[in-house]
Amino acid sequence: MKKSIFTLTLILGLAATSFGQEVISSSNANSPMTGGFSNEIHVNFVTLIWFGSVEVGYERYLSDDHSLEFKGFINDRFGFNNENKGKKYKTNSLQASMNFYFGNGSNGRFFIFPLAKVRFGDFEEPNGTDIITTDMTAFIIGAGAGYKWELSQNFAFGPFASVGRNFSDDVTDRFSGIELNAGFNLGYRF
């Protein structure tokens, strides 16, 4: 677990450093969506509270209408499955997406995004006196949509949902080839 947290922190730190320069674009620096900020970190607090799964993201606004987002998942779950009856997820994931914002809302806007995700780790479940282990390593592509409100100059929040297709026979045999994800992000812009 400590190695996973260190790896996620290192990746997010490198991503933030690589995007540390100011973006030069034709968008308005004081746009209603970004408020002049070009970076945002956010956490999906629904999965954190409900499942104990940590989903942390970094979003870099490339213009007022699109951004590049990286997410790290610690204790990632397949869909909304829980760990009752001795089931145990030992999985982590990394995801990249491109968010496209549309609409002219002064306090928020809709967005859509294609995504690519890599999950690694195992799923364990008891079977009598034995434990069955499923290799959860998978490459996933998908798409999603959401809405983002501005709470104040620096804070934004909103719901999102996505659907993805994984390309792992082991995961498809145990669960399904289609995976849903949803939540409610709370973000800080800087």
Side-chain angles (χ1 to χ4, degrees):
M1 183 70 164
K2 289 180 183 179
K3 290 181 183 178
S4 300
I5 293 172
F6 174 75
T7 303
L8 178 62
T9 304
L10 181 65
I11 289 169
L12 290 175
L14 290 173
T17 303
S18 68
F19 289 116
Q21 294 79 24
E22 187 64 33
V23 174
I24 299 172
S25 71
S26 60
S27 65
N28 182 359
N30 293 316
S31 70
M33 187 59 198
T34 62
F37 302 106
S38 52
N39 302 293
E40 179 179 318
I41 51 175
H42 50 260
V43 63
N44 179 353
F45 63 88
V46 171
T47 57
L48 181 63
I49 294 168
W50 196 351
F51 295 116
S53 177
V54 178
E55 183 178 330
V56 178
Y58 168 76
E59 189 171 356
R60 173 66 173 181
Y61 291 95
L62 304 175
S63 77
D64 189 37
D65 296 327
H66 68 288
S67 66
L68 187 60
E69 181 178 29
F70 299 98
K71 282 188 177 182
F73 301 78
I74 299 173
N75 193 25
D76 190 17
R77 309 292 178 89
F78 183 90
F80 295 108
N81 293 315
N82 56 30
E83 289 186 326
N84 59 6
K85 299 180 183 176
K87 297 176 186 175
K88 186 75 176 165
Y89 285 89
K90 296 180 177 180
T91 53
N92 299 306
S93 301
L94 298 173
Q95 176 180 301
S97 64
M98 181 67 110
N99 298 340
F100 297 96
Y101 291 91
F102 56 95
N104 292 323
S106 61
N107 291 330
R109 298 186 347 177
F110 287 99
F111 64 96
I112 58 173
F113 58 95
L115 66 90
K117 181 177 180 179
V118 176
R119 178 188 293 120
F120 45 92
D122 297 321
F123 170 70
E124 296 177 350
E125 61 185 325
N127 184 17
T129 59
D130 295 331
I131 294 179
I132 298 173
T133 302
T134 303
D135 182 12
M136 297 294 287
T137 303
F139 176 71
I140 302 159
I141 59 171
Y147 191 83
K148 191 176 287 190
W149 287 284
E150 276 192 351
L151 288 174
S152 67
Q153 184 179 6
N154 293 89
F155 290 95
F157 79 109
F160 71 92
S162 66
V163 61
R165 170 73 167 102
N166 77 65
F167 295 95
S168 168
D169 291 335
D170 291 342
V171 176
T172 303
D173 290 343
R174 171 56 183 88
F175 296 101
S176 169
I178 304 298
E179 181 176 354
L180 299 173
N181 186 30
F184 216 91
N185 284 332
L186 177 60
Y188 177 76
R189 295 178 177 170
F190 57 97

